[in-house]
Each structure stands twice: as structure tokens, then as C-alpha cells.
Amino acid sequence: MFPDDSINVLGGALTPCSSDPVTGFFRDGHCNTCAEDRGSHTVCAVMTDEFLAFSKYLGNDLSTPRPEFQFPGLKAGDQWCLCAARFLQAYDEGCAPRLRLSATHLRALEIVPLDALESRAID
């Protein structure tokens, strides 16, 4: 299991998303992906209270620590490799978090249109 090419949605090298908390499907700080990453954890999102509440409401509580999975729980301001489909769902509902294009994997475009990503970009 090796990551696909580490290219961002801008066509450049994929930059790190977060090492505190450490994120990514491979827990390497990057939003790298591979065939085994069925959730496509490819969008480097900056968490907001609104998005965390939305995700919890939909059954994916990202704010509660889960030590058994080495998961610290997220808070507003944390950067996290988010599932592309969840980002798109939040975008459609008007509560998508901001994101970093340079740290968002090219494969996010298989799920999320570039204009949607660009509209929430901070870089």
C-alpha cells in the first residue's frame, strides 16, 4: 500500500496539511491517498465549529477524542485531511470549512469540482 503520486489540485507538489494533529490516511501529515482509501481523505480542511457540529450531526464526531485510535479530537482551527464527499456535502449545505489547495490532493477532483474547492480556499 503506497500513496498515489503526491500532486495537489493546482498541479504542484502536495504540501503538508498537519502534523499537530497528525492527519492523513497514512498519518503522515499529508492528504495522500491510494486505492485502499475508500473515503478519499484528500481535502486539507481548516476545521470550524460550524463544520464540526455538522459532521457530528451526520454521525461522524470529529471533536471527541478517541484515544483507542490515537485520535485527539479536533477543534476549530485544526487542519485535517477530510473526506472529499463530506466536504462536498458540507459545501452543498453551506457550511464547508475553508481549505488549503496546495495541501489538497489532485484526486479530490474526482469528487469535488475545482470551482467549489477554489471558493473555499485560503491559499
Side-chain angles (χ1 to χ4, degrees):
M1 178 166 75
F2 296 99
D4 291 343
D5 292 336
S6 296
I7 305 297
N8 66 36
V9 294
L10 302 173
L14 188 68
T15 62
C17 182
S18 177
S19 59
D20 185 21
V22 68
T23 190
F25 181 75
F26 297 99
R27 291 299 191 260
D28 63 358
H30 292 76
C31 296
N32 281 309
T33 190
C34 66
E36 289 79 13
D37 178 14
R38 291 188 178 93
S40 187
H41 295 80
T42 52
V43 177
C44 182
V46 181
M47 297 295 103
T48 63
D49 289 332
E50 181 182 28
F51 174 77
L52 289 168
F54 174 74
S55 187
K56 185 175 184 176
Y57 173 76
L58 294 177
N60 188 17
D61 182 359
L62 296 173
S63 55
T64 301
R66 298 289 305 268
E68 67 272 25
F69 300 116
Q70 293 79 46
F71 180 69
L74 303 176
K75 61 186 181 317
D78 286 342
Q79 294 186 163
W80 192 251
C81 293
L82 192 61
C83 292
R86 179 56 46 98
F87 174 85
L88 183 58
Q89 187 179 24
Y91 177 81
D92 289 342
E93 294 296 325
C95 61
R98 301 301 301 250
L99 62 99
R100 293 186 44 238
L101 293 172
S102 62
T104 296
H105 197 282
L106 180 64
R107 293 207 35 213
L109 296 177
E110 295 173 4
I111 298 169
V112 183
L114 182 58
D115 63 330
L117 295 171
E118 289 176 332
S119 75
R120 302 301 300 152
I122 58 174
D123 64 352

mmCIF file of all heavy atoms in Angstrom, residues 64-72:
data_model
loop_
_atom_site.group_PDB
_atom_site.id
_atom_site.type_symbol
_atom_site.label_atom_id
_atom_site.label_comp_id
_atom_site.label_asym_id
_atom_site.label_seq_id
_atom_site.Cartn_x
_atom_site.Cartn_y
_atom_site.Cartn_z
ATOM 1 N N THR A 64 -14.655 14.750 19.440
ATOM 2 C CA THR A 64 -14.445 13.960 20.661
ATOM 3 C C THR A 64 -13.175 13.121 20.539
ATOM 4 O O THR A 64 -13.031 12.361 19.580
ATOM 5 C CB THR A 64 -15.656 13.043 20.932
ATOM 6 O OG1 THR A 64 -16.819 13.858 21.074
ATOM 7 C CG2 THR A 64 -15.443 12.221 22.190
ATOM 8 N N PRO A 65 -12.246 13.250 21.505
ATOM 9 C CA PRO A 65 -11.035 12.421 21.465
ATOM 10 C C PRO A 65 -11.369 10.932 21.506
ATOM 11 O O PRO A 65 -12.300 10.513 22.197
ATOM 12 C CB PRO A 65 -10.269 12.838 22.728
ATOM 13 C CG PRO A 65 -10.788 14.191 23.058
ATOM 14 C CD PRO A 65 -12.231 14.184 22.626
ATOM 15 N N ARG A 66 -10.607 10.149 20.753
ATOM 16 C CA ARG A 66 -10.745 8.692 20.741
ATOM 17 C C ARG A 66 -9.353 8.103 20.938
ATOM 18 O O ARG A 66 -8.687 7.714 19.961
ATOM 19 C CB ARG A 66 -11.355 8.214 19.421
ATOM 20 C CG ARG A 66 -12.756 8.709 19.102
ATOM 21 C CD ARG A 66 -13.832 8.088 19.969
ATOM 22 N NE ARG A 66 -13.843 6.656 19.961
ATOM 23 C CZ ARG A 66 -14.557 5.896 19.144
ATOM 24 N NH1 ARG A 66 -15.345 6.443 18.250
ATOM 25 N NH2 ARG A 66 -14.491 4.584 19.229
ATOM 26 N N PRO A 67 -8.882 8.047 22.186
ATOM 27 C CA PRO A 67 -7.512 7.585 22.455
ATOM 28 C C PRO A 67 -7.224 6.187 21.918
ATOM 29 O O PRO A 67 -6.098 5.895 21.521
ATOM 30 C CB PRO A 67 -7.395 7.617 23.978
ATOM 31 C CG PRO A 67 -8.568 8.360 24.475
ATOM 32 C CD PRO A 67 -9.585 8.424 23.383
ATOM 33 N N GLU A 68 -8.234 5.334 21.871
ATOM 34 C CA GLU A 68 -8.017 3.973 21.378
ATOM 35 C C GLU A 68 -7.615 3.940 19.909
ATOM 36 O O GLU A 68 -7.084 2.947 19.425
ATOM 37 C CB GLU A 68 -9.254 3.102 21.629
ATOM 38 C CG GLU A 68 -10.486 3.480 20.832
ATOM 39 C CD GLU A 68 -11.389 4.539 21.480
ATOM 40 O OE1 GLU A 68 -10.909 5.350 22.290
ATOM 41 O OE2 GLU A 68 -12.581 4.559 21.129
ATOM 42 N N PHE A 69 -7.866 5.057 19.204
ATOM 43 C CA PHE A 69 -7.463 5.177 17.801
ATOM 44 C C PHE A 69 -6.380 6.236 17.627
ATOM 45 O O PHE A 69 -6.134 6.702 16.511
ATOM 46 C CB PHE A 69 -8.666 5.522 16.918
ATOM 47 C CG PHE A 69 -9.757 4.497 16.961
ATOM 48 C CD1 PHE A 69 -11.016 4.816 17.464
ATOM 49 C CD2 PHE A 69 -9.537 3.213 16.499
ATOM 50 C CE1 PHE A 69 -12.029 3.874 17.498
ATOM 51 C CE2 PHE A 69 -10.550 2.258 16.527
ATOM 52 C CZ PHE A 69 -11.794 2.592 17.038
ATOM 53 N N GLN A 70 -5.766 6.669 18.727
ATOM 54 C CA GLN A 70 -4.781 7.752 18.711
ATOM 55 C C GLN A 70 -5.337 9.005 18.040
ATOM 56 O O GLN A 70 -4.638 9.713 17.317
ATOM 57 C CB GLN A 70 -3.464 7.323 18.034
ATOM 58 C CG GLN A 70 -2.680 6.269 18.785
ATOM 59 C CD GLN A 70 -3.212 4.867 18.589
ATOM 60 O OE1 GLN A 70 -3.505 4.441 17.477
ATOM 61 N NE2 GLN A 70 -3.374 4.136 19.681
ATOM 62 N N PHE A 71 -6.630 9.261 18.294
ATOM 63 C CA PHE A 71 -7.303 10.430 17.715
ATOM 64 C C PHE A 71 -7.547 11.458 18.812
ATOM 65 O O PHE A 71 -8.283 11.179 19.762
ATOM 66 C CB PHE A 71 -8.627 10.016 17.060
ATOM 67 C CG PHE A 71 -9.377 11.165 16.453
ATOM 68 C CD1 PHE A 71 -8.893 11.800 15.319
ATOM 69 C CD2 PHE A 71 -10.558 11.609 17.009
ATOM 70 C CE1 PHE A 71 -9.571 12.863 14.751
ATOM 71 C CE2 PHE A 71 -11.251 12.663 16.449
ATOM 72 C CZ PHE A 71 -10.764 13.294 15.315
ATOM 73 N N PRO A 72 -6.945 12.651 18.713
ATOM 74 C CA PRO A 72 -7.030 13.640 19.778
ATOM 75 C C PRO A 72 -8.349 14.406 19.843
ATOM 76 O O PRO A 72 -8.617 15.098 20.824
ATOM 77 C CB PRO A 72 -5.880 14.597 19.452
ATOM 78 C CG PRO A 72 -5.799 14.557 17.948
ATOM 79 C CD PRO A 72 -6.122 13.113 17.593
#
